[in-house]
């Protein structure tokens, strides 16, 4: 079967021919229908060999996967052949305290047990077939378009998770800032629009991305490179600054702007990680009173059901650019160069 692999440190992704996997006991084999490209993949392919922390190479890419169940390992009875499913990617052990609450993204034992997410250590979705380790990591998508469903598993789930926990602060008359209106950010804007009362102020470095932000429901858009950006947000918020700031870029330049936009008691969620290593000062004179600063990673298992339900109800407009599997290297080059708008998706 064809697969898109990262094979050499510092190299580019390649389309290769590998053996079709066979599901072991408890596992499920999917015929992949769509797989999304995430900026996190670009980060992974930039990690120096001596710091690489997610298993070895070659790595079959793709941590946003959707497919059809085509083979069941021994003992699997809770999914059926022919079912269309999305893959919950942050696999955990399923039995620790975090996993017991559906918080497999924060599994306490994944590292000790050597559990790696698909496309981030385990073979991923950017192949004609993929193994899913357990049926509980599948969510039925019915007749949802696979190209729309694939990005929901991360570009949807991750901002949904970050925003959902902040919703009590985002009632009518409040403001929310979204920095980085790419794959994650354009859906973050839509969750805020659908679920909160906040006025949404979107920031990006690229005017084309801001156009997508407006189409996604942002009330205001600003270039984050604008030297007056902080003053403009102060004016837009009546001097209060934002009750919720969501950084889906995570570069030093975006964090340096984002941290100045948080109001007293506001939530500041750092979701983007840039190319790793960006930090902000936190302290009595550096942070607004009672502001809450958190990083978030992916989302809870139940939240993927919620995101898919929103899409099935027609409440999300996922902006995708579709590519054939042979075009994956070109799609990654465009993601790297910032010329992809919305989410790039490999459609099988
Ligand atoms: N925390 C998690 O669980 C998680 C999950 C998925 C992705 N990520 C990270 O989230 C980030 C976004 O991922 P994506 O796939 O949406 O990427 P993307 O490339 O689709 O979007 C990133 C956007 O940020 C914009 N941007 C770049 N620098 C900026 C700045 N200084 N100010 C404002 N905007 C800026 C870009 O123009 C682009 O529109 C990446 O860092 C990725 O690694 C984190
Ligand atoms: Zn991702
Ligand atoms: Zn666990």
């Amino acid at each position: 079967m064809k697969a898109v692999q990262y094979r050499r440190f510092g190299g580019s992704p390649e389309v290769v021919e590998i053996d079709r996997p066979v599901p072991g006991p408890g596992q499920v084999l999917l015929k992949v229908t769509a797989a999304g490209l995430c900026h996190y993949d670009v980060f992974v392919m930039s990690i120096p060999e001596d710091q690489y922390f997610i298993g070895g190479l070659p790595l079959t890419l793709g941590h946003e996967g959707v497919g059809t169940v085509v083979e069941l390992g021994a003992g699997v009875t809770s999914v059926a052949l022919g079912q269309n499913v999305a893959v919950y990617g942050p696999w955990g052990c399923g039995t620790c305290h975090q996993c017991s609450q559906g918080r497999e993204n924060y599994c306490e034992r994944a590292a000790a047990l050597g559990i790696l997410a698909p496309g981030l250590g385990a073979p991923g979705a950017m192949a004609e077939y993929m193994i899913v380790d357990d049926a509980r990591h599948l969510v039925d998508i019915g007749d949802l378009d696979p190209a729309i469903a694939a990005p929901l598993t991360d570009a949807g789930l991750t901002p949904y998770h970050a925003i959902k926990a902040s919703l009590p602060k985002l009632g009518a008359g409040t403001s929310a800032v979204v920095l980085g209106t790419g794959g994650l950010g354009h859906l973050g804007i839509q969750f805020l629009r659908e679920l909160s009362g906040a006025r949404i102020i979107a920031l990006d470095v690229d005017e084309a991305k801001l156009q997508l932000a407006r189409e996604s429901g942002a009330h205001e858009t600003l270039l984050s490179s604008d030297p007056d950006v902080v003053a403009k947000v102060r004016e837009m918020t009546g001097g209060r600054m934002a009750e919720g700031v969501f950084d889906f870029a995570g570069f030093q330049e975006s964090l340096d702007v984002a941290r100045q936009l948080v109001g007293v008691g506001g939530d500041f969620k750092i979701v983007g990680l840039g190319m790793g290593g960006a930090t902000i000062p936190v302290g009595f004179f550096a942070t607004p009173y009672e502001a809450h600063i958190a990083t978030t990673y992916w989302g809870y298992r139940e939240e993927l059901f919620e995101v898919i339900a929103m899409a099935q109800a027609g409440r999300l407009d996922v902006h995708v650019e579709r590519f054939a599997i042979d075009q994956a290297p070109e799609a990654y080059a465009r993601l790297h160069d910032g010329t992809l708008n919305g989410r790039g998706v490999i459609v099988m």
Side-chain angles (χ1 to χ4, degrees), residues 92-96 99 107-109:
C93 73
T95 54
C96 73
C99 285
C107 175
E108 294 161 16
R109 304 200 304 153

Side-chain angles (χ1 to χ4, degrees), residues 38-40 154 158 179-185 203-206 209 224 248-249 251 253-254 271-274 296-298 335 342-343:
C38 179
H39 213 113
Y40 195 85
D154 177 22
T158 302
L179 283 99
T181 61
L184 272 66
L203 276 65
D204 203 290
V205 286
D206 181 343
K209 309 292 168 76
S224 56
F248 299 115
F251 293 98
E253 306 84 70
S254 63
V271 183
L273 46 112
T296 66
Y297 178 64
W298 229 325
L335 177 63
R343 204 54 152 181

Side-chain angles (χ1 to χ4, degrees), residues 222 226-235 241 256-257 260-261:
L222 292 169
D226 181 339
D228 297 327
V229 68
V230 176
K232 286 181 179 170
V233 171
R234 181 170 293 113
E235 197 188 325
M241 307 313 273
D256 287 343
V257 171
Q260 300 180 66
L261 308 180

